Amino acid sequence: MRWNELDQADCPIARALSILGERWTFMILRDCFFGVHRFEAFQANLGISRTILRDRLAHLVQAGILVQRPYQERPIRYDYVLSAKGKALNGVMLMLGEWGQTAVDGQPETQVRHRHQTCGHVLTPYVACAECGEEVVAKDVRAVRAG
Amino acid sequence: MRWNELDQADCPIARALSILGERWTFMILRDCFFGVHRFEAFQANLGISRTILRDRLAHLVQAGILVQRPYQERPIRYDYVLSAKGKALNGVMLMLGEWGQTAVDGQPETQVRHRHQTCGHVLTPYVACAECGEEVVAKDVRAVRAG
DNA sequence: TATAGTCAGTTTATAAACTAAACTCACTTA
DNA sequence: TAAGTGAGTTTAGTTTATAAACTGACTATA
């Protein structure tokens, strides 16, 4: 399998990564969740090269994860905002942040936290099963690979 | 910020991506969760170049996400297995797969599913708040960025 | 009205990362 | 003895990423 054939893979993780798995893409999306939505702001925040930023934004727009919303004409300029498909990545982002927080050590104490508005607490996210509502831990999950 | 300075970032997502954000790394870990743990098996499964596979495995071992376990001596050969830190990525993997399943369309119906052993159902994972136990949706989360 | 500044790019040259294919080494099995 | 296996390493070539300067269509300031 070559990297650019990942989108045809028979695995949802592989297909997700065909869109998200390139360098910087997750970082751009993280910024989107933080409310960043302009080219210059992404560039200044990430220090990413403009060429790559242009490519990644185009890819995300074409994949339907970001939507371009014009905020001025002459010259036409766009905000890049999360679509529904993009917002659906919220769970992935939260779990990724939680893992980074607890598992990646030796780093300065982070200053980024999330607050759960509905209950008012600082958010500690976990993955639960929609059927039984219980927390899902690795040892209780069995992959079923048909075909 | 350059890509290789990401590990010093003041954001848990950035730090997570300093380890996981390179091409193929997530795919290798996916295979680990499916029970793959030998060099040749990763290589055959992913079709990744051996050079990159070697680099990624070394990086994951050095980051404490995979552990080398010798299964023979003369010549010494290792299984690469998930450490506790690696297993803690389970939630990220599940949410990534769930997103790939529901949000990335136009692809052949996937044949990979998960079963939740404790309740017996096919798993539909969601992210919940440890304080109130409710499902966490994007609009109810506010990032708090100190400093 | 000139001058500078902003925003979202594009261009170009250079550096780093990835890939395929062949090769090595220490064994095992037929 | 010859072939095979498993985990790499080497090499040469291709693809990506990067920094820095440039463009174009404006807007704000002196």
Side-chain angles (χ1 to χ4, degrees):
Chain A
M1 194 185 329
R2 252 151 270 138
W3 183 260
N4 48 11
E5 293 167 4
L6 228 54
D7 60 331
Q8 286 141 46
D10 183 24
C11 167
I13 295 177
R15 297 212 303 272
L17 290 171
S18 76
I19 299 174
L20 308 172
E22 289 177 290
R23 258 192 191 184
W24 296 113
T25 301
F26 258 108
M27 289 296 287
I28 291 170
L29 289 170
R30 179 207 64 170
D31 270 16
C32 291
F33 277 101
F34 280 125
V36 176
H37 41 239
R38 296 216 178 151
F39 191 95
E40 291 297 318
F42 289 120
Q43 210 277 315
N45 261 329
L46 302 175
I48 182 177
S49 84
R50 308 174 76 81
T51 327
I52 298 303
L53 178 56
R54 199 241 144 232
D55 280 8
R56 294 296 183 272
L57 288 173
H59 191 184
L60 288 168
V61 166
Q62 171 248 288
I65 289 160
L66 296 181
V67 174
Q68 288 180 299
R69 248 188 358 214
Y71 69 87
Q72 69 167 44
E73 323 252 328
R74 295 187 324 280
I76 183 87
R77 291 286 181 259
Y78 301 99
D79 282 324
Y80 294 88
V81 298
L82 289 165
S83 68
K85 204 190 275 194
K87 283 182 194 144
L89 278 165
N90 191 238
V92 177
M93 283 290 162
L94 291 174
M95 293 312 294
L96 199 58
E98 179 65 11
W99 184 83
Q101 188 101 57
T102 58
V104 187
D105 50 29
Q107 300 306 327
E109 191 49 34
T110 183
Q111 267 112 10
V112 184
R113 283 272 154 47
H114 296 275
R115 188 168 298 280
H116 192 211
Q117 301 286 95
T118 56
C119 74
H121 288 95
V122 168
L123 179 63
T124 304
Y126 68 95
V127 171
C129 167
E131 286 291 339
C132 66
E134 295 296 308
E135 178 168 7
V136 180
V137 295
K139 70 170 175 52
D140 294 332
V141 180
R142 285 290 168 283
V144 190
R145 220 173 191 170
Chain B
M1 193 184 334
R2 253 151 271 138
W3 183 258
N4 49 8
E5 293 167 5
L6 228 53
D7 59 331
Q8 286 141 47
D10 183 25
C11 166
I13 294 177
R15 297 212 304 273
L17 290 172
S18 75
I19 298 175
L20 307 171
E22 290 178 288
R23 258 191 191 184
W24 295 114
T25 301
F26 257 108
M27 288 297 284
I28 292 170
L29 289 170
R30 180 206 63 170
D31 270 16
C32 290
F33 277 102
F34 280 128
V36 176
H37 40 238
R38 296 217 177 150
F39 191 95
E40 291 296 319
F42 289 120
Q43 211 277 314
N45 260 330
L46 302 176
I48 182 178
S49 83
R50 309 173 75 79
T51 326
I52 298 302
L53 178 56
R54 199 243 143 229
D55 280 7
R56 295 297 184 271
L57 289 173
H59 192 185
L60 288 169
V61 167
Q62 171 249 287
I65 289 158
L66 296 182
V67 173
Q68 289 181 298
R69 245 183 7 208
Y71 69 89
Q72 68 168 44
E73 321 252 327
R74 293 188 326 277
I76 184 87
R77 291 286 181 261
Y78 301 99
D79 281 325
Y80 294 88
V81 298
L82 290 164
S83 68
K85 204 189 274 192
K87 282 183 195 143
L89 278 166
N90 191 238
V92 177
M93 284 289 161
L94 290 174
M95 293 312 293
L96 198 58
E98 179 64 13
W99 184 83
Q101 187 100 60
T102 58
V104 187
D105 50 30
Q107 300 306 325
E109 189 50 33
T110 183
Q111 267 110 12
V112 185
R113 283 273 154 50
H114 296 276
R115 187 168 298 280
H116 192 212
Q117 301 286 93
T118 57
C119 73
H121 288 96
V122 168
L123 179 64
T124 304
Y126 67 95
V127 171
C129 167
E131 287 291 339
C132 65
E134 293 296 307
E135 177 168 8
V136 180
V137 295
K139 72 172 176 47
D140 293 333
V141 180
R142 284 292 167 282
V144 190
R145 220 173 191 171

